[in-house]
Each structure stands twice: as structure tokens, then as C-alpha cells.
Amino acid sequence: KMSAAWTIAPVGLAPLVRARRVASRGAAAAARARPSSSGESPSGGLFLGRPADGTFGASVRRAATTEETRSPWTDPAPPPSSAWEPARSDWQPPWVRRALLGTAVVVAAVAYIAAVSVHYTEAMAADVMDVNEPSIMNLKLKPRTQEVILETKAEHINEDFSHEDLVGAIYTEGDLRGSDFSGSDLRAAIFSRAVMPGVNLEGSDMSNSFLDYVVLRGSNMRGVIAREANFVRSDLGDCDVTDADFTEAVIDRYQAIGLCDTASGTNSFTGVDTRDSLGCERLKRYEGFNKENSKVAVSKGSGTWGGAAN
């Protein structure tokens, strides 16, 4: 009868096989972690057999340890959850995963900082004038005899510096009254605190030069290019700035207003209108609170001191 049953209905074993597979997948790792009731560690999967107490059945034990407590030095990688799942070859201890993640974050941060630095350097290089390049004014200059020109507190009254290559020259606190700098390359030159009224700067390139705290009253600045030059606290009274270009130059407000009174023309090399470069349209003189200059009526008893009698 038993043989007939197995022969007639072999499909009856299929549910049992499927149940065994499902149970083995969930209990495989747990069965390996703890010893069985016989004191021996099972080899894995679902343990079917006769335990030491004489009963039949399945012995399933849950693991007391987890992957986080596994020793990365002595314990192997976690076993597969079932016989049909291949062993994990990419398993890494927790400290290795954290180290790899930290390294990736550091590398990404360094790459970002490097990219920003390169972009900033390129942007700054594009804005900074290259004094090694010739002036856009095509100046005809004399050969330069000194690599470094340092004339601090020097006295050069009514001397001829015309058509000289004075790029980066230093004349701080010098006495240069009445000297001729016409047609010279004065880019990035330093004249801070120099005394130089009545000098001739016509047709010179003064881009990025330092003329702060300088007396330039009555000087000839016709056709100069003074882009991004520094004129802070300088005296520019009565200067002729016809056809000059002061784009982005730093000039005190009241000095710029004085220059706008006579400013006119357009620079032939840059095409910039002189008045536009000075911002004359937005500069206005302070007219005070009494624009019509009318008399203020004061009646008896008014004001702090009582006013005057009518």
C-alpha cells in the first residue's frame, strides 16, 4: 500500500519539499550560530534528525551575534542564506566600509576645492592687467636702462621723462614738479604722496597706476588712459582731462565733480567717452538745504536764542 501510494501520487511530496526550502532559507544562518541540543554545531541549513532527547523534529536556533559584532580579523564572511544563494564575495567589515566612505568624501571635497581654486585663479588672471604685454596705445618708447626703478623721495624738477618705459617704476614721495611724462608707459607705476603739479602726462598710459595723495593740480592729462588707477585723496584741480579714459578709476567724489566741469571728448584708443568714464551724469554738487539762497525769516521769540525783532 505504501508503495502504491508513492507510485500513484508522487506529487504529494512537492509541498513538503517547498516547505523545507522556505524554512531552510530563514534558519540557515541561525542554525550555524548556536550549537544543537547534542552539543555539536550544525553544518548549516535546517537540522532534521533525532536530537539527544529522543524526539524527532526540526531544531532551529537563532543567531546571538550579528554582522556588526563579527570580528573582521578572525570570522569569515557571512554564509549564504540558503543552498541556492552563492556565497558573498564582496563582504567588508564595518570599519572598512566606514573608511571607504570617509575616503570618498575627502576625495570629493578636495576635488571640489581644487576646481573652485582653478576657476577663481583664472577669473582673477583675466581681470589683472599683464604689464608684460605692450600698451594698447602703441607707444614709441626709449630703451629701458634699468630693470628696477626705485626713486623714493627723489627730486626730479622739470626733468624729461617723455616716451620712457616706466612700467612699475616707484616715485613715492618724490618731487616731480613740472616734469614731462608725455607718451610714457606708466602702467602700475607708483607715485604715492608725490608732489607733481603742472606735470605733462599727455598721451601716456597710466592704467593701474597709484597716484594716491598726489598733488596733480594744473597737470596736462589729455588723451591719457587711467583705467583702474588710484587717485584717492589726490588734488586734481584745474587738470585738463580732454579725451582721457578714467574707467573704474578711484577718484574722490568732489575731485571728480571738478573734473566734470571741463571734461569732454572721447579716447581714441578705447573709444570711451571721458564724461562717461568719470560718471559725470550721476555726480551732483551739494547745494545745501536752501537751493534758492533766499533769506530765512526770523520772528521775535523764535529759535533757541529768541531770534531778533522784526
Side-chain angles (χ1 to χ4, degrees):
K1 295 180 180 179
M2 182 62 68
S3 299
W6 282 89
T7 304
I8 296 173
V11 73
L13 295 176
L16 297 177
V17 174
R18 287 196 297 271
R20 182 182 182 279
R21 291 178 179 177
V22 171
S24 63
R25 292 176 184 176
R32 293 185 182 92
R34 288 186 177 180
S36 64
S37 58
S38 60
E40 297 179 356
S41 297
S43 59
L46 183 64
F47 180 80
L48 296 177
R50 183 184 296 276
D53 56 1
T55 61
F56 290 94
S59 175
V60 180
R61 299 288 186 266
R62 293 186 175 275
T65 60
T66 62
E67 183 179 332
E68 293 297 329
T69 59
R70 184 181 302 275
S71 172
W73 306 106
T74 58
D75 294 348
S81 59
S82 67
W84 294 273
E85 180 182 351
R88 292 175 57 183
S89 60
D90 60 343
W91 181 82
Q92 296 289 347
W95 69 271
V96 174
R97 294 197 298 270
R98 287 192 290 267
L100 293 176
L101 179 60
T103 303
V105 171
V106 171
V107 171
V110 171
Y112 175 77
I113 294 174
V116 171
S117 300
V118 170
H119 177 74
Y120 178 78
T121 302
E122 292 177 351
M124 290 296 294
D127 292 337
V128 175
M129 177 194 65
D130 187 0
V131 296
N132 295 321
E133 296 294 330
S135 171
I136 63 174
M137 301 181 71
N138 298 321
L139 302 172
K140 296 181 179 180
L141 305 175
K142 302 173 185 176
R144 183 159 178 164
T145 58
Q146 292 179 259
E147 182 177 357
V148 178
I149 301 177
L150 180 59
E151 297 285 343
T152 300
K153 296 184 179 181
E155 183 176 316
H156 298 286
I157 301 175
N158 297 322
E159 292 193 16
D160 184 12
F161 293 97
S162 61
H163 302 285
E164 292 281 357
D165 182 0
L166 300 176
V167 175
I170 301 175
Y171 290 96
T172 55
E173 301 184 20
D175 189 351
L176 305 171
R177 288 175 289 179
S179 295
D180 186 5
F181 290 91
S182 61
S184 296
D185 193 348
L186 303 175
R187 291 177 297 167
I190 303 176
F191 294 92
S192 301
R193 298 183 181 275
V195 179
M196 44 194 305
V199 297
N200 184 13
L201 297 166
E202 183 175 358
S204 62
D205 191 347
M206 304 168 60
S207 301
N208 295 93
S209 58
F210 291 84
L211 295 110
D212 50 310
Y213 296 90
V214 173
V215 179
L216 285 165
R217 178 170 290 273
S219 298
N220 180 9
M221 303 179 69
R222 296 176 64 92
V224 303
I225 297 180
R227 301 171 68 92
E228 300 182 11
N230 185 355
F231 293 95
V232 172
R233 295 294 187 271
S234 293
D235 184 0
L236 300 172
D238 301 327
C239 288
D240 186 355
V241 294
T242 304
D243 299 331
D245 182 2
F246 291 94
T247 302
E248 297 185 12
V250 183
I251 306 175
D252 294 337
R253 179 185 179 85
Y254 62 93
Q255 293 292 337
I257 292 175
L259 294 176
C260 289
D261 290 341
T262 58
S264 62
T266 302
N267 189 273
S268 58
F269 296 97
T270 62
V272 175
D273 183 88
T274 301
R275 295 184 61 83
D276 290 343
S277 66
L278 289 170
C280 296
E281 298 302 323
R282 64 175 182 273
L283 295 175
K284 295 182 179 179
R285 293 182 181 275
Y286 176 70
E287 299 178 354
F289 68 94
N290 190 12
K291 297 182 181 180
E292 291 77 17
N293 197 24
S294 59
K295 295 182 179 180
V296 178
V298 180
S299 59
K300 185 178 181 180
S302 65
T304 304
W305 303 104
N310 291 333

PDB file of all heavy atoms in Angstrom, residues 191-209:
ATOM      1  N   PHE A 191      53.257 106.512  -7.634  1.00  0.00           N
ATOM      2  CA  PHE A 191      53.603 107.908  -7.359  1.00  0.00           C
ATOM      3  C   PHE A 191      53.002 108.366  -6.025  1.00  0.00           C
ATOM      4  O   PHE A 191      52.810 109.556  -5.812  1.00  0.00           O
ATOM      5  CB  PHE A 191      53.077 108.815  -8.473  1.00  0.00           C
ATOM      6  CG  PHE A 191      53.724 108.594  -9.810  1.00  0.00           C
ATOM      7  CD1 PHE A 191      53.180 107.717 -10.730  1.00  0.00           C
ATOM      8  CD2 PHE A 191      54.887 109.264 -10.144  1.00  0.00           C
ATOM      9  CE1 PHE A 191      53.766 107.528 -11.969  1.00  0.00           C
ATOM     10  CE2 PHE A 191      55.493 109.083 -11.381  1.00  0.00           C
ATOM     11  CZ  PHE A 191      54.928 108.201 -12.293  1.00  0.00           C
ATOM     12  N   SER A 192      52.709 107.476  -5.152  1.00  0.00           N
ATOM     13  CA  SER A 192      52.009 107.808  -3.912  1.00  0.00           C
ATOM     14  C   SER A 192      52.711 108.931  -3.149  1.00  0.00           C
ATOM     15  O   SER A 192      53.935 108.910  -2.967  1.00  0.00           O
ATOM     16  CB  SER A 192      51.913 106.563  -3.011  1.00  0.00           C
ATOM     17  OG  SER A 192      51.231 105.519  -3.685  1.00  0.00           O
ATOM     18  N   ARG A 193      51.927 109.940  -2.748  1.00  0.00           N
ATOM     19  CA  ARG A 193      52.386 111.073  -1.937  1.00  0.00           C
ATOM     20  C   ARG A 193      53.446 111.926  -2.653  1.00  0.00           C
ATOM     21  O   ARG A 193      54.213 112.646  -1.998  1.00  0.00           O
ATOM     22  CB  ARG A 193      52.907 110.606  -0.576  1.00  0.00           C
ATOM     23  CG  ARG A 193      51.855 109.921   0.272  1.00  0.00           C
ATOM     24  CD  ARG A 193      52.382 109.536   1.636  1.00  0.00           C
ATOM     25  NE  ARG A 193      51.355 108.848   2.413  1.00  0.00           N
ATOM     26  CZ  ARG A 193      50.421 109.450   3.141  1.00  0.00           C
ATOM     27  NH1 ARG A 193      50.381 110.779   3.190  1.00  0.00           N
ATOM     28  NH2 ARG A 193      49.531 108.753   3.802  1.00  0.00           N
ATOM     29  N   ALA A 194      53.484 111.838  -3.971  1.00  0.00           N
ATOM     30  CA  ALA A 194      54.450 112.652  -4.716  1.00  0.00           C
ATOM     31  C   ALA A 194      53.902 114.063  -4.928  1.00  0.00           C
ATOM     32  O   ALA A 194      52.698 114.302  -4.917  1.00  0.00           O
ATOM     33  CB  ALA A 194      54.763 112.003  -6.053  1.00  0.00           C
ATOM     34  N   VAL A 195      54.799 115.001  -5.109  1.00  0.00           N
ATOM     35  CA  VAL A 195      54.448 116.394  -5.400  1.00  0.00           C
ATOM     36  C   VAL A 195      54.759 116.629  -6.868  1.00  0.00           C
ATOM     37  O   VAL A 195      55.922 116.707  -7.265  1.00  0.00           O
ATOM     38  CB  VAL A 195      55.235 117.363  -4.496  1.00  0.00           C
ATOM     39  CG1 VAL A 195      54.872 118.800  -4.832  1.00  0.00           C
ATOM     40  CG2 VAL A 195      54.987 117.057  -3.031  1.00  0.00           C
ATOM     41  N   MET A 196      53.730 116.721  -7.690  1.00  0.00           N
ATOM     42  CA  MET A 196      53.945 116.836  -9.120  1.00  0.00           C
ATOM     43  C   MET A 196      52.890 117.723  -9.794  1.00  0.00           C
ATOM     44  O   MET A 196      52.220 117.291 -10.731  1.00  0.00           O
ATOM     45  CB  MET A 196      53.976 115.442  -9.773  1.00  0.00           C
ATOM     46  CG  MET A 196      52.887 114.492  -9.278  1.00  0.00           C
ATOM     47  SD  MET A 196      53.149 112.753  -9.729  1.00  0.00           S
ATOM     48  CE  MET A 196      53.323 112.800 -11.485  1.00  0.00           C
ATOM     49  N   PRO A 197      52.745 118.982  -9.333  1.00  0.00           N
ATOM     50  CA  PRO A 197      51.819 119.889 -10.007  1.00  0.00           C
ATOM     51  C   PRO A 197      52.388 120.336 -11.353  1.00  0.00           C
ATOM     52  O   PRO A 197      53.605 120.461 -11.524  1.00  0.00           O
ATOM     53  CB  PRO A 197      51.702 121.057  -9.033  1.00  0.00           C
ATOM     54  CG  PRO A 197      53.012 121.071  -8.325  1.00  0.00           C
ATOM     55  CD  PRO A 197      53.422 119.636  -8.191  1.00  0.00           C
ATOM     56  N   GLY A 198      51.491 120.558 -12.294  1.00  0.00           N
ATOM     57  CA  GLY A 198      51.908 121.067 -13.591  1.00  0.00           C
ATOM     58  C   GLY A 198      52.690 120.104 -14.450  1.00  0.00           C
ATOM     59  O   GLY A 198      53.358 120.528 -15.401  1.00  0.00           O
ATOM     60  N   VAL A 199      52.631 118.788 -14.170  1.00  0.00           N
ATOM     61  CA  VAL A 199      53.365 117.825 -14.997  1.00  0.00           C
ATOM     62  C   VAL A 199      52.616 117.583 -16.307  1.00  0.00           C
ATOM     63  O   VAL A 199      51.403 117.788 -16.408  1.00  0.00           O
ATOM     64  CB  VAL A 199      53.587 116.492 -14.254  1.00  0.00           C
ATOM     65  CG1 VAL A 199      54.444 116.703 -13.017  1.00  0.00           C
ATOM     66  CG2 VAL A 199      52.257 115.849 -13.897  1.00  0.00           C
ATOM     67  N   ASN A 200      53.343 117.128 -17.299  1.00  0.00           N
ATOM     68  CA  ASN A 200      52.758 116.831 -18.601  1.00  0.00           C
ATOM     69  C   ASN A 200      52.623 115.316 -18.748  1.00  0.00           C
ATOM     70  O   ASN A 200      53.623 114.597 -18.875  1.00  0.00           O
ATOM     71  CB  ASN A 200      53.627 117.403 -19.722  1.00  0.00           C
ATOM     72  CG  ASN A 200      52.998 117.190 -21.093  1.00  0.00           C
ATOM     73  OD1 ASN A 200      51.825 116.841 -21.214  1.00  0.00           O
ATOM     74  ND2 ASN A 200      53.790 117.420 -22.136  1.00  0.00           N
ATOM     75  N   LEU A 201      51.369 114.825 -18.703  1.00  0.00           N
ATOM     76  CA  LEU A 201      51.094 113.396 -18.833  1.00  0.00           C
ATOM     77  C   LEU A 201      50.370 113.077 -20.141  1.00  0.00           C
ATOM     78  O   LEU A 201      49.848 111.971 -20.307  1.00  0.00           O
ATOM     79  CB  LEU A 201      50.249 112.920 -17.649  1.00  0.00           C
ATOM     80  CG  LEU A 201      50.885 113.041 -16.265  1.00  0.00           C
ATOM     81  CD1 LEU A 201      49.835 112.864 -15.179  1.00  0.00           C
ATOM     82  CD2 LEU A 201      52.000 112.023 -16.097  1.00  0.00           C
ATOM     83  N   GLU A 202      50.342 113.984 -21.056  1.00  0.00           N
ATOM     84  CA  GLU A 202      49.555 113.828 -22.275  1.00  0.00           C
ATOM     85  C   GLU A 202      49.973 112.575 -23.056  1.00  0.00           C
ATOM     86  O   GLU A 202      51.144 112.312 -23.289  1.00  0.00           O
ATOM     87  CB  GLU A 202      49.716 115.053 -23.171  1.00  0.00           C
ATOM     88  CG  GLU A 202      48.868 114.993 -24.435  1.00  0.00           C
ATOM     89  CD  GLU A 202      48.943 116.273 -25.242  1.00  0.00           C
ATOM     90  OE1 GLU A 202      49.629 117.218 -24.798  1.00  0.00           O
ATOM     91  OE2 GLU A 202      48.309 116.344 -26.321  1.00  0.00           O
ATOM     92  N   GLY A 203      48.948 111.800 -23.436  1.00  0.00           N
ATOM     93  CA  GLY A 203      49.184 110.617 -24.259  1.00  0.00           C
ATOM     94  C   GLY A 203      49.894 109.482 -23.561  1.00  0.00           C
ATOM     95  O   GLY A 203      50.412 108.578 -24.219  1.00  0.00           O
ATOM     96  N   SER A 204      49.898 109.445 -22.244  1.00  0.00           N
ATOM     97  CA  SER A 204      50.575 108.361 -21.517  1.00  0.00           C
ATOM     98  C   SER A 204      49.556 107.314 -21.064  1.00  0.00           C
ATOM     99  O   SER A 204      48.368 107.587 -20.938  1.00  0.00           O
ATOM    100  CB  SER A 204      51.324 108.906 -20.305  1.00  0.00           C
ATOM    101  OG  SER A 204      50.422 109.506 -19.388  1.00  0.00           O
ATOM    102  N   ASP A 205      50.053 106.101 -20.829  1.00  0.00           N
ATOM    103  CA  ASP A 205      49.212 105.007 -20.347  1.00  0.00           C
ATOM    104  C   ASP A 205      49.447 104.867 -18.847  1.00  0.00           C
ATOM    105  O   ASP A 205      50.503 104.406 -18.414  1.00  0.00           O
ATOM    106  CB  ASP A 205      49.556 103.708 -21.069  1.00  0.00           C
ATOM    107  CG  ASP A 205      48.528 102.607 -20.794  1.00  0.00           C
ATOM    108  OD1 ASP A 205      47.718 102.774 -19.865  1.00  0.00           O
ATOM    109  OD2 ASP A 205      48.549 101.590 -21.512  1.00  0.00           O
ATOM    110  N   MET A 206      48.442 105.259 -18.062  1.00  0.00           N
ATOM    111  CA  MET A 206      48.558 105.246 -16.602  1.00  0.00           C
ATOM    112  C   MET A 206      47.676 104.168 -15.977  1.00  0.00           C
ATOM    113  O   MET A 206      47.323 104.242 -14.805  1.00  0.00           O
ATOM    114  CB  MET A 206      48.156 106.624 -16.047  1.00  0.00           C
ATOM    115  CG  MET A 206      48.948 107.778 -16.638  1.00  0.00           C
ATOM    116  SD  MET A 206      48.220 109.373 -16.227  1.00  0.00           S
ATOM    117  CE  MET A 206      48.292 109.323 -14.433  1.00  0.00           C
ATOM    118  N   SER A 207      47.342 103.143 -16.723  1.00  0.00           N
ATOM    119  CA  SER A 207      46.457 102.096 -16.216  1.00  0.00           C
ATOM    120  C   SER A 207      47.049 101.434 -14.984  1.00  0.00           C
ATOM    121  O   SER A 207      48.249 101.133 -14.926  1.00  0.00           O
ATOM    122  CB  SER A 207      46.215 101.040 -17.303  1.00  0.00           C
ATOM    123  OG  SER A 207      45.633 101.619 -18.449  1.00  0.00           O
ATOM    124  N   ASN A 208      46.207 101.219 -13.985  1.00  0.00           N
ATOM    125  CA  ASN A 208      46.584 100.532 -12.739  1.00  0.00           C
ATOM    126  C   ASN A 208      47.714 101.224 -11.981  1.00  0.00           C
ATOM    127  O   ASN A 208      48.393 100.602 -11.160  1.00  0.00           O
ATOM    128  CB  ASN A 208      46.990  99.078 -13.016  1.00  0.00           C
ATOM    129  CG  ASN A 208      45.849  98.242 -13.543  1.00  0.00           C
ATOM    130  OD1 ASN A 208      45.659  98.112 -14.740  1.00  0.00           O
ATOM    131  ND2 ASN A 208      45.064  97.667 -12.635  1.00  0.00           N
ATOM    132  N   SER A 209      47.935 102.480 -12.233  1.00  0.00           N
ATOM    133  CA  SER A 209      48.974 103.215 -11.504  1.00  0.00           C
ATOM    134  C   SER A 209      48.432 103.741 -10.177  1.00  0.00           C
ATOM    135  O   SER A 209      47.222 103.891  -9.991  1.00  0.00           O
ATOM    136  CB  SER A 209      49.494 104.387 -12.351  1.00  0.00           C
ATOM    137  OG  SER A 209      48.427 105.257 -12.689  1.00  0.00           O
TER     138      SER A 209
END
